[in-house]
Amino acid sequence: KAGVTQTPRYLIKTRGQQVTLSCSPISGHRSVSWYQQTPGQGLQFLFEYFSETQRNKGNFPGRFSGRQFSNSRSEMNVSTLELGDSALYLCASSFPDRTEAFFGQGTRLTVV
Amino acid sequence: DAKTTQPPSMDCAEGRAANLPCNHSTISGNEYVYWYRQIHSQGPQYIIHGLKNNETNEMASLIITEDRKSSTLILPHATLRDTAVYYCIVHFPLKGTDKLIFGTGTRLQVFP
């Protein structure tokens, strides 16, 4: 059974640009969550999608957005990149309201 | 904010049991205790969870105190590959969200 797949694994962008990250959940999982991990702030929740609807959102500016498609794949977008957006972005999928979440390997974004 | 408190770091000799404590004094009656670990630069990995009874699986054992205000994750025979950051999380899986609130975790170093 394939795990959660995130693409790309590594990305370098320039300040002011925008970026789109992709997450393919485990087959059958309908809930997808996104997290940002930085050395200073640790693992922080960005948002959560279920059946193409955002059902929870963390405390991040509007430059961070996401969506989920009918096949449960999800994308997140960050516009007008800032140096502080450099982080490991993690995606997790799970059956809705079930026990464990399965995380992907993450996308390492570096903003220069 | 995270509802758990963990020591920032611990050491353990290879082959010995690693006992990782977690305080969650404000846990509510329907919240479960979850443990995840994150090996350097990878996505977090689910280990185990429990409500009030002790739990064991192929990876670890979870001991929850009778008042549920604290718990201990036990890795019975630690190996070098168990070196990771371990996160204790309280979460109610049927709340209509899969959002996990991560604290700072415990960095476990297993030495030869």
Side-chain angles (χ1 to χ4, degrees):
Chain A
K1 190 173 181 181
V4 178
T5 303
Q6 291 188 246
T7 57
R9 289 293 311 278
Y10 303 92
L11 206 51
I12 299 176
K13 288 287 189 178
T14 305
R15 272 182 303 174
Q17 286 186 313
Q18 67 92 26
V19 67
T20 299
L21 311 182
S22 180
C23 172
S24 293
I26 292 173
S27 177
H29 287 192
R30 295 165 60 196
S31 175
V32 174
S33 300
W34 289 89
Y35 296 82
Q36 180 197 65
Q37 186 172 30
T38 60
Q41 299 298 317
L43 267 160
Q44 292 189 289
F45 172 80
L46 277 158
F47 26 65
E48 172 190 11
Y49 287 88
F50 172 67
S51 292
E52 303 177 64
T53 301
Q54 186 182 91
R55 66 174 181 177
N56 215 334
K57 188 177 189 303
N59 188 25
F60 279 83
R63 300 186 296 107
F64 291 81
S65 63
R67 59 178 176 168
Q68 186 180 33
F69 302 95
S70 58
N71 62 357
S72 294
R73 190 178 71 85
S74 178
E75 289 180 347
M76 67 163 283
N77 184 277
V78 189
S79 63
T80 320
L81 284 165
E82 300 177 0
L83 295 179
D85 298 331
S86 294
L88 180 66
Y89 290 87
L90 292 157
C91 164
S93 77
S94 57
F95 284 109
D97 305 332
R98 289 286 293 274
T99 53
E100 69 267 35
F102 295 83
F103 284 80
Q105 294 287 70
T107 294
R108 171 79 59 187
L109 171 65
T110 301
V111 182
V112 298
Chain B
D1 288 345
K3 297 178 67 174
T4 61
T5 304
Q6 300 176 252
S9 64
M10 294 183 66
D11 290 339
C12 179
E14 190 176 21
R16 304 298 293 269
N19 297 284
L20 291 88
C22 179
N23 286 320
H24 32 80
S25 58
T26 62
I27 191 170
S28 59
N30 52 15
E31 287 182 315
Y32 287 66
V33 178
Y34 287 77
W35 284 83
Y36 285 79
R37 73 180 182 184
Q38 186 175 26
I39 296 170
H40 182 61
S41 292
Q42 297 182 22
Q45 175 191 24
Y46 165 83
I47 301 172
I48 198 168
H49 75 282
L51 183 63
K52 54 184 178 181
N53 297 320
N54 298 337
E55 302 287 345
T56 296
N57 63 20
E58 65 279 4
M59 289 183 68
S61 294
L62 174 60
I63 309 296
I64 303 174
T65 58
E66 193 168 343
D67 64 6
R68 303 210 324 124
K69 293 185 177 182
S70 65
S71 60
T72 301
L73 179 74
I74 301 172
L75 307 179
H77 305 287
T79 71
L80 298 178
R81 289 186 294 181
D82 291 323
T83 292
V85 178
Y86 288 76
Y87 296 97
C88 169
I89 299 168
V90 295
H91 174 62
F92 177 37
L94 301 178
K95 196 178 169 184
T97 177
D98 293 316
K99 170 185 176 181
L100 299 174
I101 301 175
F102 288 83
T104 52
T106 295
R107 184 172 299 276
L108 175 68
Q109 179 69 53
V110 181
F111 57 90

